[in-house]
Amino acid sequence: MITTRAAVLTKVGGPLHLTDIHVDDPEPHEVRIAVTHVGLCHSDLHYITGTVATELPVVVGHEVAGIVESVGSAVTDLRPGDHVTGALTPACGECANCNAARSTQCQRLDEIRRRPRPAYSLPDGTPVARLGDLGAFSEHMLLRANAAVKLPDGVSTRVGCLLSCCVVTGVGAVFRGARVRPGSTVAVIGCGGVGSAIIQGARLAGASAIVAIDLDEQRLRAARGYGATHTLNGATDDLAAAVVALLGDGVDYSFEAVGSARTAAAALDVVRPTGTACLVGIAAAGTELTLPASDFFFSEKRLIGSYMGSGQAREDIAQFARLYQHGRLLLDEMVTEVIDFGRINEGFEAMKSGEVTRIVVAMPIRSDNPTAEEAR
């Protein structure tokens, strides 16, 4: 067990408090990571604000990269010093969904996340929960070895952390979830971190037109750089009519990256008959959708969901890292600002403004972590 510093949420809607916690020793199939960078994700904000329920106290954060410090007795493919990013979805590799290349829907997830002792605890012994059994807003963390992905040379942890959530979620939704065909048309509703990754995925998939839709003009300008061919302000009274005015028809595929009933309905509305609307944004607990049945019966539209890229997270993250190496996937451009750990609450406040793509927290460099400097 070691003592480290973490940002702990003790009250829903309250700030994160930097405090000391204990981190347990790795179990046989775990590794301990010295965290170097963590992306601030809207999923974290959902837990902080209470739109999604969580245990308290809790360490949130999941878009993580760092350096392996120690490995459990059964770990053979990772060693201290490896630079890794962490997938939110560890998998058993044996259930029906894992065998069908859908590891993000592993049927034994709760079982493989179970451990005999709390991973985190306060100095008085109080257990501390971890978002997704990660809890990445900590200078050190535990990770299932089969959820860790080695970062290749030339992929720093500064951008490598994005691969673990917004990139695998967004690009994966294009290739694994909706399976966008070359030459097709795409609309993306919500152009934050995940939406920007969806736009890039659509570009990589060979979409002939990509319509970026958002309320923030700065995000819409940025969307052009990621591959959007058209932009629309989401305040438009009739989005479907606006899309038709741009393209002459609805789109073949739409992606919703906001997480609300209104934008989900809009995603279905802007696709043409036989088109596919893909919901990617996490909606608040209790959100229900009211949709016209005729869209499904007479127009043969499809509505699907995509969670964490709908595929094999470790394999996909490794492939996306190679796309970045070859200059085909833009990651540096997605990092709006890198901030110190002590400014994490400021970072979340900045996210609420809608003027950022991704804020990344740089964790302190410790003297017992000599390779952390090169991760910068």
Side-chain angles (χ1 to χ4, degrees), residues 117-129:
R117 300 172 307 279
Y120 291 169
S121 59
L122 296 176
D124 65 4
T126 302
V128 178

Side-chain angles (χ1 to χ4, degrees), residues 173-174 176-181 184-189 198 250-256 263-280 295-296 299-306 310:
V174 172
R176 297 274 200 176
R179 299 182 181 180
V180 170
R181 301 185 309 275
S184 56
T185 56
V186 171
V188 181
I189 302 175
I198 294 171
V251 293
D252 298 303
Y253 301 91
S254 68
F255 295 86
E256 191 275 351
T263 49
L268 187 67
D269 201 28
V270 300
V271 295
R272 66 179 183 82
T274 74
T276 297
C278 182
L279 305 186
V280 184
D295 278 2
F296 302 101
S299 298
E300 295 188 35
K301 294 184 180 183
R302 294 195 309 146
L303 180 67
I304 64 172
S306 179
S310 301

Side-chain angles (χ1 to χ4, degrees), residues 294-354:
S294 59
D295 278 2
F296 302 101
F297 290 111
F298 299 117
S299 298
E300 295 188 35
K301 294 184 180 183
R302 294 195 309 146
L303 180 67
I304 64 172
S306 179
Y307 174 66
M308 295 303 296
S310 301
Q312 299 285 69
R314 296 185 76 197
E315 175 185 332
D316 293 348
I317 289 171
Q319 290 179 343
F320 299 154
R322 289 193 289 272
L323 285 170
Y324 168 74
Q325 283 181 298
H326 295 297
R328 301 184 63 196
L329 184 63
L330 306 178
L331 298 183
D332 298 276
E333 293 81 357
M334 292 178 67
V335 179
T336 306
E337 186 179 5
V338 178
I339 64 174
D340 294 334
F341 192 23
R343 295 178 56 205
I344 189 167
N345 288 305
E346 296 176 38
F348 278 114
E349 284 300 317
M351 283 176 60
K352 296 176 184 177
S353 71

Side-chain angles (χ1 to χ4, degrees), residues 221-240:
R221 287 193 294 272
R224 292 274 187 177
Y226 298 127
T229 58
H230 304 76
T231 59
L232 279 175
N233 192 295
T236 300
D237 289 335
D238 190 337
L239 276 179

Side-chain angles (χ1 to χ4, degrees), residues 1-2 22-30 32 72-73 111-122 125-130 133 142 144:
M1 180 181 293
I2 64 169
H22 295 319
V23 179
D24 194 27
D25 294 328
E27 286 292 298
H29 293 280
E30 292 179 329
R32 191 174 73 224
S73 59
E111 177 186 341
I112 65 173
R113 280 177 167 174
R114 195 175 300 128
R115 62 192 321 278
R117 300 172 307 279
Y120 291 169
S121 59
L122 296 176
T126 302
V128 178
R130 300 180 295 161
D133 280 343
L142 296 173
R144 287 278 301 191

Side-chain angles (χ1 to χ4, degrees), residues 275-291:
T276 297
C278 182
L279 305 186
V280 184
I282 296 178
T287 299
E288 296 185 356
L289 306 182
T290 301
L291 304 168

